[in-house]
């Protein structure tokens, strides 16, 4: 006798509820083995690939390919993203550049904070994540490139802020030195660099590149807890009416 839970209409209804619902169906409603399980899990994988809103899938693929370049065990939390976005001065002139945008959690927070889409540019080296970002943020300029290329990626134009999600402590020292050097010397009168890190202590490569840390704060609700550092050029001042630290 055919199991009433295995009808095609029932499966379709669970599929419409998303990939996580399909996993729940697999392990609770219709446990077992055989071809049905194979088809069910194939449907789950297809839904994960098709959904640009499901950030865990592109993140996991990038992590499996190069965990050192990703430098995290999961995407940044909304709380961390919000804290980072709050450090960007909306009154500044020039591009707001996000290095290593990943799945776009911080990107979304920057837009909610009020950064205009026509001032925000994303730099990401993973082709898979670039496809994800372009699908999620069609209004933004998303560049497939390496942060080491510096302002050549934006034709040498002025930069107001650099938001770095790069795992500087897990990258080769020479690469880190090149990245921090090219962006710390970017054109822009009030350049501001925001870097988050999971390191409990220690100096930053941005300081070695000639910038001064002007703010720091922990986000304990992130996994793992993260510190948000703000760097500026020595003697720089924030735009009038917007001076805050992490």
């Amino acid at each position: 006798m055919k199991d009433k839970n295995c009808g095609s209409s029932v499966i379709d209804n669970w599929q419409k509820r998303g990939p996580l619902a399909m996993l729940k169906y697999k392990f609770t409603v219709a446990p077992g083995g055989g071809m049905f399980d194979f088809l069910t899990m194939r449907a789950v994988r297809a839904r994960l690939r098709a959904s640009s809103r499901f950030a865990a899938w592109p993140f996991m693929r990038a992590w499996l390919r190069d965990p050192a370049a990703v430098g995290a065990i999961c995407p940044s939390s909304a709380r961390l993203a919000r804290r980072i976005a709050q450090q960007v001065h909306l009154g500044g002139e020039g591009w707001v550049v996000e290095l290593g945008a990943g799945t776009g959690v911080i990107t979304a927070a920057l837009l909610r904070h009020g950064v205009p889409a026509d001032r925000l540019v994303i730099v990401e080296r993973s082709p898979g994540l670039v496809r994800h970002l372009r699908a999620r943020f069609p209004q933004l300029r998303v560049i497939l490139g390496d942060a080491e290329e510096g302002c050549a990626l934006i034709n040498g134009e002025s930069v107001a802020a650099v938001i770095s999600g790069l795992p500087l402590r897990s990258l080769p020292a020479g690469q880190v030195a090149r990245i921090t050097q090219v962006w710390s010397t970017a054109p822009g009168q009030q350049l501001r660099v925001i870097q988050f890190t999971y390191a409990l202590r220690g100096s930053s490569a941005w300081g070695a590149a000639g910038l001064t840390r002007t703010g720091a704060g922990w986000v304990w609700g992130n996994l793992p807890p993260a510190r948000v550092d703000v760097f500026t050029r020595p003697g720089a001042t924030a735009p009038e009416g917007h001076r805050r630290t992490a």
Side-chain angles (χ1 to χ4, degrees):
M1 181 176 179
K2 186 176 180 179
D3 188 340
K4 65 179 181 179
N5 291 326
C6 295
S8 60
S9 61
V10 174
I11 298 174
D12 290 341
N13 288 335
W14 279 86
Q15 285 183 350
K16 291 176 182 178
R17 293 166 60 181
L20 293 181
M22 283 297 294
L23 287 174
K24 182 178 179 180
Y25 181 90
K26 162 69 176 66
F27 292 109
T28 60
V29 180
M35 182 56 69
F36 175 76
D37 282 354
F38 170 76
L39 294 175
T40 301
M41 295 312 294
R42 188 173 67 176
V44 171
R45 288 193 294 269
R47 289 299 299 267
L48 289 173
R49 290 189 181 99
S51 176
S52 63
R53 295 173 297 174
F54 196 79
W57 180 251
F59 176 89
M60 183 170 293
R61 284 192 299 184
W63 187 89
L64 289 172
R65 287 193 180 101
D66 193 350
V70 174
I73 59 175
C74 59
S76 302
S77 68
R79 185 174 299 179
L80 173 60
R82 184 168 58 251
R83 177 70 67 87
I84 291 170
Q86 289 170 348
Q87 311 313 312
V88 176
H89 295 155
L90 300 179
E93 296 182 358
W95 287 104
V96 175
V97 181
E98 185 181 1
L99 304 177
T103 60
V105 178
I106 296 173
T107 310
L110 290 169
L111 292 171
R112 286 194 297 269
H113 178 57
V115 176
D118 59 2
R119 283 188 56 211
L120 180 57
V121 60
I122 309 303
V123 178
E124 175 57 57
R125 64 179 295 181
S126 165
L129 290 175
V130 165
R131 288 192 296 270
H132 169 81
L133 291 165
R134 286 174 177 170
R136 184 176 179 183
F137 304 106
Q139 76 277 33
L140 297 183
R141 181 181 176 188
V142 180
I143 299 174
L144 174 62
D146 197 306
E148 290 185 63
E149 298 177 58
C151 285
L153 294 167
I154 54 173
N155 302 317
E157 298 175 11
S158 179
V159 177
V162 174
I163 296 91
S164 173
L166 302 175
L168 299 183
R169 291 180 177 269
S170 63
L171 297 176
Q175 183 180 14
V176 171
R178 290 189 294 272
I179 292 171
T180 54
Q181 184 62 36
V182 295
W183 288 106
S184 65
T185 56
Q189 294 296 319
Q190 297 172 325
L191 176 69
R192 191 172 174 87
V193 174
I194 300 103
Q195 172 78 53
F196 75 88
T197 177
Y198 303 120
L200 294 175
R201 60 177 64 87
S203 58
S204 171
W206 293 105
L211 300 183
T212 300
R213 182 158 55 192
T214 56
W218 282 94
V219 179
W220 298 105
N222 193 68
L223 180 66
R227 191 181 73 220
V228 179
D229 291 332
V230 179
F231 297 89
T232 60
R233 293 189 177 118
T237 58
E240 190 65 29
H242 194 158
R243 296 177 183 172
R244 66 185 304 163
T245 63

